Amino acid sequence: MSKSSMAGRGAARAAAVLTAVAMAVVAAPLSGTAQAHEAVSGSLSFAGEPGEFISDGQSQQFAAGSVEMFDVTGPTDENAAGVTIVTPEGRRWSLHLQAPDGQKLTEGTTYANASRWPDARPEDPKLEFGADDRWCTTGTGSFTVSHISYGPYGYIRELDVTFEQYCNGSTLPLRGEVHARTAEPPAELAIGLGLNPEGRLDTKSGAVTVGGTATCNKPARISLSGLVAQTQKTGEAVGRYEDQMVDCVPGAPVPWSVTIPTTAMEPGISFRTGTAMLRGFGKADDRDYPASVNAGDNTTQITLVKS
């Protein structure tokens, strides 16, 4: 693929993301967090009778691989599906299908009496199809989900749908169908957090340094937080750390360390060498899905030694 073609695809994808966000707010909001993935195979085709507004009485078909973009979008709650096509000429065609609020799109189901947001009531299915310069003001119709399969967090893996739309009160139908297959879903993020059994105490400044290792099954930026506590005869020394970042890559444990200054410690009692308790947490956003993953609550006894 040429550099100019790659740049065109990149620009088209960026513009489509902005359009999807705008549609989610203005035209047809999806329930749950939506995510888009490029189809590796499939087609979108439609035809309208003479005088039909959206199609202008023409029939068209677009295939994945021959257009600048062919994206399939779905929310995490599996309530809706969308398809966005950007042609080599830069024209954008969008299809939005949604089950009634609180329901999932179900394979083998025909959704009758669909209408366009905001006219659709919560109990109605929603249907919108049009181009960036041609949209219905009001619309009705129906669609049939003959096949749909999911990956994690509503990732649409396969989609086969037929639809029929009537625009602006017209009796002239537009009929279409979409068949799409996306890539195999990426693995869900998994992270782990290990704690070293030894910490270091700077007896001059009072700062405590602790550490451990982080693991992940795919690249992730892990946010670390935790505390060190030491019980003494006169009370308890406590120091906290938070928002310490470690860039994790799969393959081997990634070491991390953090120094807790006295300004991050509870006043009154200072740490001493000897036994203490270290508690650590880890959290990271999954780069492929709209989800955050926790490494759990890890607690271990450590020994503080002079640095």
Side-chain angles (χ1 to χ4, degrees):
M1 183 182 297
S2 67
K3 291 184 178 179
S4 59
S5 178
M6 292 177 65
R9 284 178 180 268
R13 181 171 299 280
V17 169
L18 293 174
T19 299
V21 171
M23 286 187 63
V25 174
V26 177
L30 299 178
S31 301
T33 304
Q35 52 183 328
H37 301 278
E38 187 172 8
V40 295
S41 65
S43 63
L44 169 69
S45 59
F46 62 89
E49 295 186 8
E52 196 281 319
F53 175 66
I54 299 298
S55 67
D56 198 24
Q58 305 296 313
S59 62
Q60 296 194 60
Q61 178 168 324
F62 307 106
S66 64
V67 291
E68 289 298 310
M69 187 181 71
F70 192 132
D71 268 10
V72 180
T73 307
T76 55
D77 61 6
E78 302 178 6
N79 170 252
V83 174
T84 301
I85 304 290
V86 177
T87 70
E89 297 75 29
R91 196 177 194 194
R92 187 186 323 277
W93 291 90
S94 298
L95 171 68
H96 174 78
L97 311 166
Q98 187 173 342
D101 287 4
Q103 298 182 23
K104 295 183 178 182
L105 283 181
T106 305
E107 182 172 295
T109 301
T110 295
Y111 294 88
N113 301 315
S115 55
R116 185 181 188 274
W117 189 90
D119 298 324
R121 299 167 298 178
E123 63 269 24
D124 295 333
K126 288 83 172 174
L127 167 65
E128 281 189 78
F129 178 70
D132 43 15
D133 59 347
R134 278 183 181 264
W135 286 100
C136 303
T137 302
T138 61
T140 58
S142 64
F143 60 93
T144 298
V145 182
S146 55
H147 175 64
I148 190 168
S149 67
Y150 291 96
Y153 300 104
Y155 181 112
I156 296 179
R157 178 69 180 86
E158 300 175 339
L159 180 66
D160 295 287
V161 173
T162 57
F163 61 95
E164 182 174 284
Q165 177 178 266
Y166 296 86
C167 193
N168 301 331
S170 172
T171 59
L172 300 175
L174 177 147
R175 296 183 177 93
E177 57 186 85
V178 60
H179 307 279
R181 302 293 183 267
T182 59
E184 196 66 29
E188 298 177 64
L189 176 63
I191 59 176
L193 185 65
L195 305 177
N196 290 341
E198 183 177 280
R200 296 191 173 274
L201 172 65
D202 186 328
T203 54
K204 293 183 179 180
S205 69
V208 170
T209 300
V210 294
T213 57
T215 57
C216 53
N217 64 336
K218 60 183 181 182
R221 188 165 174 79
I222 303 175
S223 175
L224 305 175
S225 61
L227 62 84
V228 180
Q230 185 181 59
T231 301
Q232 302 174 13
K233 291 182 179 180
T234 55
E236 189 173 48
V238 178
R240 292 179 171 83
Y241 62 94
E242 60 183 10
D243 297 329
Q244 300 295 315
M245 309 303 296
V246 56
D247 290 316
C248 184
V249 292
V254 178
W256 61 269
S257 66
V258 58
T259 297
I260 306 172
T262 55
T263 53
M265 298 178 185
E266 294 184 5
I269 300 177
S270 301
F271 281 94
R272 300 174 182 173
T273 57
T275 301
M277 185 270 291
L278 172 61
R279 189 176 184 184
F281 306 85
K283 183 178 181 180
D285 292 332
D286 193 320
R287 61 192 298 173
D288 297 306
Y289 301 110
S292 293
V293 178
N294 294 316
D297 184 352
N298 301 287
T299 304
T300 188
Q301 180 175 291
I302 64 172
T303 301
L304 293 178
V305 300
K306 290 184 179 180
S307 60

